[in-house]
Amino acid sequence: MTTKKTIAAAAEASAEAVTLASTAEAKTEQATIVGPALSADSEPKIVVLSHHLCIDGTDYSPGAELLVSSDYADRLRAQGYVSRT
């Protein structure tokens, strides 16, 4: 393999890694937090609903994955809206 082919292959692999990383970041950015806003020191959590729930006028069916604040996740879990798997 020549040097040009090696450099081209390395550049292509690097571009692919950047694309994969930006795709993962885009998915994270696209997921909006539903319910009450996050407090300054908390991390969002992904919850899976076990029952139908309406949050801010939007209906979510059982099995829906939502990104919520950790406090709201705890409240939903205590009320039985989050599956315990």
Side-chain angles (χ1 to χ4, degrees), residues 48-74:
V48 179
L49 296 179
S50 59
H51 299 286
H52 177 268
L53 183 63
C54 182
I55 302 173
D56 297 332
T58 304
D59 291 324
Y60 298 98
S61 59
E65 291 185 1
L66 304 176
L67 187 62
V68 298
S69 68
S70 58
D71 295 335
Y72 194 51
D74 293 339

Side-chain angles (χ1 to χ4, degrees), residues 69-83:
S69 68
S70 58
D71 295 335
Y72 194 51
D74 293 339
R75 285 192 287 167
L76 290 173
R77 189 169 288 112
Q79 295 172 356
Y81 283 101
V82 176
S83 61

Side-chain angles (χ1 to χ4, degrees), residues 25-37:
E25 289 174 6
K27 286 181 182 178
T28 303
E29 291 174 3
Q30 287 176 353
T32 57
I33 298 173
V34 296

Side-chain angles (χ1 to χ4, degrees), residues 36-44 69-71:
L38 284 172
S39 61
D41 60 342
S42 67
E43 292 289 321
S69 68
S70 58
D71 295 335

Side-chain angles (χ1 to χ4, degrees), residues 4-17:
K4 288 182 181 179
K5 288 183 181 178
T6 305
I7 293 172
E12 186 176 312
S14 175
E16 184 177 330

